[in-house]
Amino acid sequence: FNARDTIRQLEYAGVTYVQGMAAFADSGGSSSLFVTATDNSISTVTASKVLIATGSKPFRPGGIPFDGKRIFDSDTINTLSYLPKSVAITGSGIIAIEFAKIFKNLGSDVTLIIRDNIPRNALMKIGLDKDIAATLVADLVRSGIKIERGAQVKKFNVPRGNDKAPISIELEARGGGERPSGESTSLKCDIYLAAVGRKPNTANLNLQAAGIKADQYGGIEVDSDLKSTATGGNVYAAGDVLGRPFLASTGMAQGFAAVKSMFAEKSEEGDEEEDAVCDADDKVCNSGDLSMTGDQFDPKSLASNPFAFPIGVWSLPEASYYGLSVQQCKEMGIDAGEGVALYAECLRGLVFSPNGLLKLVFDKSNGRIMGVHICGDDACELIHYGMELVKAKRTIDDVLGNLYSAVTFHEMYRIAAMAAVDEAGARKRRAAAGRAVTARNRGIKE
């Protein structure tokens, strides 16, 4: 549906649409491409400007017999036409967790195979706060998902000619060798999913013929204008072809910035806008982040700049964050504190979604909010208010001075701010909320 809608939008905009596999011509420099249609006919397209936005595809580790029927990657799994009774998933990132919760909520037995011995560590490596990561892992366990820690798949046995017979998977310790005594060495499942990351979809574009450099993973190298190293200086790139973070939101922003750079008019001398300048004593500079697409946009910052974009995990519960964690603040020399609000501390959370938390990370020297981390219902929506607090350099006192509507999740922002200035009282309130949730859950079970 999305693809057809995109084609309609192109038609409405008067854009000529040609469907096929494109690649730069061996002898045509960076302005000529061959397009192979589905009927194998070949046509030539020439252009003064070229934008590469071919997206990404799942990374497929060697030794896995992908067949699109019982052994899937994170794209081919979408072709599954039935609900399996049991699913084994390799991966510890966002995509693996999202699919694990999807299948579990649909009624499948799910086993998550993780190389790290401590599951939350794997999530912290991709930027999640330690408490948010721990909350997600606790939810996985609470929902009945089995986690094989410090493990990897050694061998697959996929029955041929009998789709109803289970797949047998042999497990070994991370890096090879036997697993510790008492740990599973094999498991059976109806289907297997490898959700271990993505890679730029650039292998068949014949980039070298156009003089376009790419990294070892296929990510196209670009400058701050999103211009590649093409010999003609006319090829730009945007989205997943640049590598991480592989997000639709950043891809859209990059595409906008790339087109703006491609067709930018030269300004008269003295007309250029002055670059945003950070305060001299500001340890964290937001200049050049994703909100400044166009002239001040630096795509190279996307993978490492915590102020470039919000991150969301679309599982149940959701998780999202923006800005710095306490650990990141420490590494930057910032003496940071945190204020935590449990979902159970606000009425809406207690009634509808008691298992979750919202955390404000702040600079102790001035109260400035440095990061917001959320796990629970609507986390991916709530984070945008938190993003504005960080970007506007709001403080804990600013949040305490605001009025939030009753029976909303946004009340947790004020509760977290109160916890930041009254740690002892906050611990008592969280303990009371925890007891209330436990009593409620006990009553439901009885």
Side-chain angles (χ1 to χ4, degrees), residues 223-271:
D223 60 17
S224 59
D225 291 323
L226 292 154
K227 183 189 294 185
S228 73
T229 60
T231 52
N234 65 322
V235 180
Y236 295 72
D240 287 5
V241 293
L242 302 182
R244 298 183 70 179
F246 299 114
L247 295 174
S249 54
T250 56
M252 290 290 290
Q254 288 172 331
F256 176 82
V259 172
K260 191 173 180 180
S261 295
M262 291 166 70
F263 299 101
E265 296 182 2
K266 293 184 178 180
S267 303
E268 296 292 333
E269 187 174 352
D271 286 348

Side-chain angles (χ1 to χ4, degrees), residues 19 28 34 56 66 103-104 122 140 159 214 224 260 262 265 305 316 329 333 336 348 375 388 415 422 428:
Q19 185 173 357
F34 288 140
S56 63
F66 293 99
F103 279 111
K104 186 61 183 178
L140 293 176
S224 59
K260 191 173 180 180
M262 291 166 70
E265 296 182 2
N305 183 359
L316 288 174
C329 285
R348 184 171 182 176
C375 183
E388 289 306 309
I415 296 171
D422 180 14
K428 294 179 180 179

